[in-house]
Amino acid sequence: MREPEVTVGLAGEHGLSTEEYEKILAILGRTPTYTELGIFSVMWSEHCSYKNSLKMLRTLPREGEMLLVKPGEENAGLIDIGGGLAVAFKIESHNHPSAVEPYQGAATGVGGIMRDIFAMGARPIAALDSLRFGDLSDDRVKYLFDGIVRGIGDYGNCLGVPTVAGEVYFDNAYKGNPLVNAMTVGIVRHDRVAHAVAKSPGASVFIIGSSTGRDGIHGATFASEEIGEKSEAKRPHVQVGDPFTEKLIMEATLEIIQSGCAEGVQDMGAAGITSSASEVAAKSNLGIELDLDKAPLREEGMIPYEIMLSESQERMLIIAKSGREDKIKEICDKWEVNRSIFGTITEDGNLRVRWKGNVVADIPAGSLNAGQGAPVYEREAAEPAYLKKVRNDDLSVLPAPENLTGVLERLLTSPNIAKKSWIYEQYDTMVQTNTLQLPGGDAAVIRIEGTSKALAMKTDGNGRFVYLNPRRGAGIAVAESARNVACTGAKPVAITNCLNFGNPYKPDAYWQFKEAVLGIGDACRALATPVTGGNVSFYNENPDGAIYPTPVIGMLGILDDVKKMVTAHFKNPGDIIFLAGENKGEIGGSEYLQIVHHKVSGDCPSLGLPEEKNLQEFLVEAAELGLLQSAHDISEGGLAVALAESCILNSENRPGAITEFSSPIRPDFLIFGEDQSRAILSVKPEKADEIRRLAEKYTVPTAAIGIVTKQPFQIYLNERLILEADINELSKLYESAIEEEMIL
Amino acid sequence: MANRRKMRFGIVVFPGSNCDRDVYNSVTRILNQEAVYLWHKDHDLNHCDAVVLPGGFSYGDYLRTGAIARFSPIVQEIIDYAEKGGRVLGICNGFQVLLEIGLLPGAMLRNKSLHFICKFVHVRVENSDTLFTSACRKKEVLKIPIAHNEGNYYIDSEGLKALEGNNQVVFRYASPEGQITEAHNPNGSLNHIAGIVNRRGNVLGLMPHPERASEALLGSEDGKKIFRSMVQAFLD
């Protein structure tokens, strides 16, 4: 390939504005080389620079006693869990690649986030995946769904990391633009944490892992534009995953770190060699000089531009401790991992690239880096016009269905509520033998080897709520993920977040983004769960319009004693069922409204953050005191679905439940409304008084609403039977809905 | 005087093994025995009393599960060891390797659903007179998870006749009550076969993961019975 002449026009083709190009000229004091133009274009792309989000992200609460590193400083967030152990965790999107090449797009998304975790010296102990698709009855959606789930499964399964939780929603809003957000949680001893830094000028820089090919060039730029008719042609931008090589790199990297050979470690993710090298140098106020002739290449005739921009997967940058270079080589050879010293840390602060004896790029590293020299913008924001319309929709005039049992059956077969075993049985959920709560309940619980502790984890993000009310909807995503974690008995401690939005240059999309970030901040401050890091994905649009604004929250909680863990399902007939929290009958944005009335309308449910905090503290203490037989969050489908699930999830006994309510709220809104800050609990009769007293202490309105039975499943309202079903029939519907849809 | 020495398990580590640590933890922490890792490039079995080939993806398994593993140095040692009567247990990918190297007959096809499947299943003990199942009752039903892409066991009709005739089928997929039905066969395996032993009785391969069912906290302790049987055989 011959290098074209660099002009403002060529810069434009690289996604750089005229203003940005002029800034580059000023930084360099000359016209950039073709390689330099490529480097600037990827580093200043939305994906790498966070140029349109950084200002807002800085408003998030990022402080906390347990936080060991500042967000954005390292490959992932790191929190202290006591006993000399720390947890590294992060969530990241791979939406655009997955939209055009579902299997590889999703697989490499998993691979990327795994590397972020083990680059810190942490062994990955769990993976989670938050997915969004169009309507599942659509054939293209089925194809994407099948490919993405297989891609996630095949990669994580081969790596030997259990994929244990997540969530999925199906809604037409995501039709051409599915969301794939992958999260990894890892564990590391404090004294073995590796940092993404260089310390000593003269240190050798290794590239280890796969050799570099032409795959994924401009992947970061691709992720920074809307998906359109031309996106299909970008399929070659999508990288190809090799989980076996990833497994070898993981073992080699962890061994290099544990044997004290590395001064710094940085994953090669988006923008490959370019971003890993320049970020390490910029963060350390040092320079780095690379000799591309020493980089192992997969293809003949690659030019520096291609080598620097390649996003070939399964590569890692390691800065050696002086004198430990041979040991690094030995470890790599043991694991049969390619390794080459291809650079040196320098003092001058530049990213300098040599090729065939010539300097082909020489750029102040700090000028490339997000939050340093890379541009930072605040975009125009305007409240979208649709909001008035949906908010003014009078839902009280909707006809009330007569057959509420029929409605419950329809809700249980909605793919948004139905059992997700078609997905998670394709994932190895049990490898590492620490999974104490498998998928299907409120949150996954993973034991920490060698301790009595466990981690609870969950992702959440109801896009419909955020669409109706970005600020409060985003707060609900935080609250619900924390509530899920608290239902297992674990104390929610910190979040990571993945912000999936539309084109930031469109004022209404940017307004949604701003509001949502504010909402996350509100909730995280109130619940004392700081933000440890995350990822922003803009340009999630397709020819039909933007997706629902979808902030996905990855919540982490700590359970001090695994024996105190609580599960979501009812245990024994005779146990008393309690409702913690208050019924309000808020139906806006509910699954019921969508399934029965075909509407996404109204306002999202209200959220009282102090009440939410009280409820969660109550749940955690109730678990600690051993008062709970079960605890289950009330979310999609409301009370009725939560009660049914607590029966169905006990697959061995399949108990029923008889509950009764006295309320002026209309029946369908009462039992299907998705009012926040509520949970269904069951307790042994002899513990009933104690749970009441504890609820009083936390001022959580808590009432006995019924009893666990052998059969039947009944709901009474104002002394009238309004819903009756056979739990075995409900189970069949709930368990087979997605599987039946996927039989081609 | 009975042998009071702890049993020493040798756990083979291919670069893509990922259940090696799980087996190690099960036999050391739960069974209270000794274990050592056997690296795939090693040439000796380090005086172990049994060899376990754990689950995982040995060499990535891009060609065919277990197909490359047969060329590794340690596998040659294992073949010699088995031929001399040494105890060999292959779990999941380890079972696939045992088929590839000919220590057990038959082959694995992809699961009938063409999907990877990970879930708890039930298997019925068809032969409790082996050194791997002596702690089980005959027809006992064990709850143990599976996690594989290729567990659809296949063998030609003559081979199948021999397996069944010699009582070499040790585990069959079953309902929790022990019924053998199509609905409880997770992968389409011939005659619902989940695990088989060689003629001599010293080499067992099974698809379910006993190491994942060795603690009540993980949902089942039934898998422990397989390791316990092996320890018993060693002590005897």
Side-chain angles (χ1 to χ4, degrees):
Chain A
M1 180 176 171
R2 272 191 53 209
E3 297 195 351
E5 191 192 339
V6 175
T7 62
V8 65
L10 188 66
E13 285 169 32
H14 279 71
L16 292 162
S17 68
T18 306
E19 184 197 3
E20 286 168 345
Y21 182 65
E22 277 164 10
K23 199 172 163 185
I24 294 169
L25 294 180
I27 289 166
L28 297 176
R30 57 178 166 79
T31 303
T33 65
Y34 183 53
T35 305
E36 287 171 333
L37 180 73
I39 289 173
F40 272 105
S41 76
V42 289
M43 290 305 292
W44 286 10
S45 71
E46 189 67 54
H47 192 78
C48 290
S49 73
Y50 291 81
K51 59 187 169 190
N52 290 312
S53 60
L54 206 56
K55 269 199 168 163
M56 285 309 300
L57 297 179
R58 286 183 172 151
T59 68
L60 292 169
R62 299 182 293 172
E63 304 281 328
E65 282 169 21
M66 304 172 85
L67 266 58
L68 296 175
V69 299
K70 286 231 166 79
E73 264 181 13
E74 299 287 350
N75 285 293
L78 192 69
I79 64 162
D80 180 17
I81 58 162
L85 294 174
V87 172
F89 72 119
K90 192 182 179 189
I91 191 166
E92 222 167 54
S93 62
H94 232 219
N95 304 337
H96 287 67
S98 305
V100 294
E101 172 49 57
Y103 179 86
Q104 293 295 349
T108 53
V110 173
I113 195 66
M114 292 284 178
R115 284 194 301 282
D116 277 335
I117 300 305
F118 66 74
M120 297 186 74
R123 182 171 280 278
I125 57 165
L128 298 87
D129 295 280
S130 177
L131 310 175
R132 301 290 180 279
F133 298 96
D135 195 318
L136 190 54
S137 58
D138 182 281
D139 281 346
R140 168 86 187 166
V141 170
K142 283 195 176 99
Y143 160 76
L144 292 172
F145 180 46
D146 177 65
I148 285 168
V149 169
R150 273 191 302 114
I152 290 169
D154 284 357
Y155 207 98
N157 296 350
C158 181
L159 213 52
V161 178
T163 302
V164 293
E167 94 289 12
V168 60
Y169 288 92
F170 300 89
D171 192 298
N172 243 341
Y174 303 104
K175 187 175 174 189
N177 196 136
L179 302 184
V180 177
N181 293 180
M183 170 169 161
T184 297
V185 180
I187 201 135
V188 59
R189 268 172 44 182
H190 285 200
D191 57 351
R192 285 185 176 165
V193 174
H195 298 280
V197 292
K199 291 173 190 157
S200 327
S204 300
V205 179
F206 277 86
I207 180 169
I208 75 164
S210 294
S211 44
T212 299
R214 287 194 171 98
D215 47 333
I217 292 173
H218 278 302
T221 317
F222 170 42
S224 306
E225 55 191 51
E226 289 177 26
I227 291 178
E229 281 166 17
K230 289 181 190 151
S231 297
E232 191 60 25
K234 301 216 166 159
R235 194 187 285 261
H237 289 270
V238 179
Q239 315 84 331
V240 175
D242 175 359
F244 178 57
T245 298
E246 178 105 338
K247 168 84 163 74
L248 303 182
I249 294 178
M250 176 171 79
E251 299 298 348
T253 303
L254 291 175
E255 196 170 328
I256 287 166
I257 294 169
Q258 278 160 18
S259 54
C261 296
E263 189 173 282
V265 180
Q266 170 82 50
D267 159 46
M268 286 191 190
I273 295 175
T274 293
S275 66
S276 58
S278 62
E279 280 173 24
V280 161
K283 277 183 215 161
S284 316
N285 289 319
L286 290 168
I288 190 166
E289 185 165 314
L290 303 177
D291 181 355
L292 296 188
D293 297 320
K294 294 191 177 139
L297 300 181
R298 209 178 283 176
E299 295 172 63
E300 299 254 325
M302 284 180 73
I303 60 169
Y305 175 97
E306 294 170 312
I307 300 168
M308 289 302 286
L309 268 52
S310 161
E311 290 189 8
S312 290
Q313 295 291 291
E314 292 94 20
R315 296 178 300 164
M316 194 70 90
L317 185 99
I318 294 181
I319 297 150
K321 265 193 192 149
S322 173
R324 304 291 279 165
E325 295 83 357
D326 287 345
K327 180 72 184 171
I328 292 177
K329 289 177 185 167
E330 189 191 310
I331 293 169
C332 289
D333 292 349
K334 172 185 161 190
W335 290 102
E336 297 179 21
V337 165
N338 269 332
R339 40 70 183 178
S340 171
I341 295 177
F342 83 135
T344 317
I345 298 300
T346 63
E347 281 183 61
D348 66 7
N350 276 21
L351 167 67
R352 190 173 304 109
V353 182
R354 289 180 186 278
W355 184 62
K356 295 193 171 164
N358 299 318
V359 173
V360 293
D362 198 351
I363 307 170
S367 71
L368 296 167
N369 210 26
Q372 294 184 24
V376 176
Y377 304 121
E378 183 160 3
R379 303 252 73 98
E380 188 193 332
E383 183 174 317
Y386 74 82
L387 274 174
K388 274 212 176 71
K389 201 177 143 223
V390 295
R391 294 259 181 89
N392 290 336
D393 195 2
D394 182 3
L395 302 175
S396 68
V397 302
L398 289 172
E402 280 179 18
N403 178 0
L404 294 177
T405 305
V407 173
L408 176 61
E409 288 171 354
R410 281 167 73 188
L411 287 173
L412 289 174
T413 52
S414 157
N416 291 340
I417 290 176
K419 190 172 182 184
K420 310 295 188 295
S421 51
W422 187 88
I423 303 172
Y424 60 72
E425 284 181 359
Q426 295 189 53
Y427 302 155
D428 190 334
T429 48
M430 307 178 199
V431 65
Q432 299 191 15
T433 56
N434 289 315
T435 312
L436 305 184
Q437 256 194 64
L438 292 163
D442 276 53
V445 179
I446 304 293
R447 167 175 63 185
I448 302 169
E449 262 176 50
T451 74
S452 62
K453 290 181 193 175
L455 297 176
M457 51 195 81
K458 182 70 171 89
T459 60
D460 257 313
N462 185 326
R464 221 183 266 156
F465 288 170
V466 185
Y467 169 76
L468 296 177
N469 188 331
R471 186 159 183 166
R472 202 196 302 153
I476 288 176
V478 177
E480 192 187 332
S481 59
R483 204 182 313 134
N484 284 139
V485 161
C487 278
T488 69
K491 180 178 186 278
V493 293
I495 74 157
T496 176
N497 65 109
C498 194
L499 307 175
N500 307 277
F501 287 82
N503 183 342
Y505 291 85
K506 293 181 180 169
D508 49 355
Y510 196 69
W511 185 86
Q512 291 172 328
F513 170 73
K514 275 181 82 167
E515 287 286 301
V517 174
L518 293 174
I520 293 171
D522 297 339
C524 285
R525 268 183 290 272
L527 302 178
T529 53
V531 181
T532 62
N535 165 245
V536 178
S537 171
F538 281 131
Y539 302 97
N540 289 293
E541 309 217 358
N542 57 64
D544 298 334
I547 60 158
Y548 287 150
T550 309
V552 171
I553 306 299
M555 179 66 70
L556 193 77
I558 298 179
L559 183 68
D560 280 327
D561 180 356
V562 294
K563 293 195 198 85
K564 299 289 168 67
M565 181 180 82
V566 178
T567 49
H569 59 273
F570 291 147
K571 304 295 180 300
N572 300 313
D575 286 345
I576 298 179
I577 304 170
F578 279 87
L579 168 70
E582 208 181 333
N583 292 327
K584 296 175 183 160
E586 293 176 307
I587 209 70
S590 64
E591 186 69 16
Y592 163 77
L593 210 56
Q594 162 85 314
I595 297 284
V596 174
H597 300 285
H598 312 291
K599 265 175 178 289
V600 176
S601 196
D603 198 349
C604 81
S606 57
L607 175 66
L609 287 167
E611 291 79 9
E612 180 69 44
K613 173 99 171 139
N614 288 342
L615 171 71
Q616 293 178 17
E617 286 179 348
F618 163 59
L619 290 168
V620 172
E621 188 168 347
E624 225 167 72
L625 295 171
L627 301 181
L628 300 174
Q629 290 280 77
S630 71
H632 185 29
D633 164 46
I634 300 177
S635 58
E636 284 78 22
L639 259 176
V641 164
L643 283 165
E645 282 175 343
S646 279
C647 298
I648 294 168
L649 290 173
N650 183 344
S651 56
E652 283 178 12
N653 299 329
R654 286 281 146 72
I658 299 176
T659 51
E660 49 183 328
F661 301 89
S662 149
S663 172
I665 299 169
R666 63 183 264 191
D668 52 343
F669 287 15
L670 176 77
I671 65 172
F672 301 123
E674 296 175 11
D675 328 348
Q676 293 301 297
S677 311
R678 294 182 302 165
I680 294 284
L681 318 176
S682 69
V683 300
K684 287 183 180 161
E686 63 267 28
K687 304 274 189 194
D689 287 339
E690 231 176 311
I691 203 86
R692 283 195 187 95
R693 277 198 296 276
L694 191 67
E696 252 169 57
K697 175 181 156 191
Y698 285 101
T699 64
V700 176
T702 298
I705 55 166
I707 188 162
V708 180
T709 62
K710 274 191 183 160
Q711 273 282 4
F713 183 80
Q714 292 175 331
I715 299 177
Y716 289 83
L717 174 60
N718 303 330
E719 297 179 0
R720 196 168 65 87
L721 179 65
I722 58 164
L723 191 155
E724 179 167 30
D726 179 317
I727 214 71
N728 288 316
E729 293 300 315
L730 294 183
S731 302
K732 265 184 222 150
L733 294 170
Y734 180 79
E735 287 175 356
S736 61
I738 292 182
E739 206 159 312
E740 276 175 14
E741 192 68 63
M742 290 308 289
I743 294 169
L744 299 176
Chain B
M1 189 74 181
N3 190 345
R4 289 293 165 211
R5 185 166 71 83
K6 282 186 180 178
M7 183 171 181
R8 187 175 165 94
F9 286 84
I11 300 163
V12 180
V13 183
F14 296 109
S17 298
N18 61 31
C19 302
D20 44 339
R21 280 159 45 104
D22 301 351
V23 173
Y24 185 96
N25 289 343
S26 288
V27 299
T28 56
R29 288 191 204 158
I30 296 161
L31 274 288
N32 199 23
Q33 303 300 311
E34 277 180 24
V36 287
Y37 291 117
L38 305 171
W39 184 241
H40 66 121
K41 288 178 183 166
D42 287 354
H43 288 271
D44 82 85
L45 299 182
N46 205 343
H47 312 292
C48 57
D49 304 307
V51 170
V52 183
L53 291 141
F57 290 74
S58 49
Y59 289 87
D61 286 346
Y62 292 125
L63 171 61
R64 197 168 67 240
T65 51
I68 308 291
R70 62 190 291 194
F71 300 109
S72 70
I74 198 76
V75 162
Q76 202 46 56
E77 298 301 318
I78 294 169
I79 292 171
D80 294 347
Y81 177 72
E83 279 169 2
K84 287 181 200 139
R87 309 173 185 97
V88 179
L89 171 66
I91 301 167
C92 195
N93 187 243
F95 185 9
Q96 293 159 346
V97 172
L98 291 175
L99 297 174
E100 283 287 332
I101 63 182
L103 284 182
L104 290 172
M108 286 296 173
L109 305 175
R110 285 197 65 188
N111 294 343
K112 207 172 152 195
S113 66
L114 302 182
H115 286 145
F116 186 94
I117 304 170
C118 174
K119 63 176 179 183
F120 271 100
V121 299
H122 293 87
V123 293
R124 193 173 77 187
V125 180
E126 302 292 275
N127 180 349
S128 53
D129 293 330
T130 76
L131 71 92
F132 304 96
T133 49
S134 58
C136 308
R137 283 173 282 114
K138 189 161 169 57
K139 302 289 177 191
E140 181 172 351
V141 177
L142 308 180
K143 180 185 171 192
I144 309 183
I146 53 166
H148 58 251
N149 232 324
E150 293 170 41
N152 181 355
Y153 181 80
Y154 179 78
I155 192 167
D156 60 28
S157 57
E158 226 165 279
L160 183 64
K161 223 163 131 189
L163 271 185
E164 296 283 8
N166 299 323
N167 220 359
Q168 284 173 256
V169 176
V170 179
F171 301 110
R172 245 186 265 277
Y173 298 110
S175 74
E177 297 76 31
Q179 248 90 48
I180 306 294
T181 74
E182 275 312 312
H184 292 94
N185 181 344
N187 52 28
S189 179
L190 198 63
N191 281 20
H192 310 264
I193 289 171
I196 57 171
V197 72
N198 64 346
R199 242 352 250 273
R200 189 166 169 181
N202 62 317
V203 179
L204 176 84
L206 79 167
M207 289 315 292
H209 286 265
E211 79 281 10
R212 296 183 180 193
S214 294
E215 283 177 89
L217 254 181
L218 299 177
S220 170
E221 293 186 279
D222 292 351
K224 207 159 69 176
K225 291 184 179 166
I226 293 169
F227 296 118
R228 207 193 290 140
S229 303
M230 292 173 75
V231 175
Q232 199 52 52
F234 163 74
L235 291 176
D236 291 347

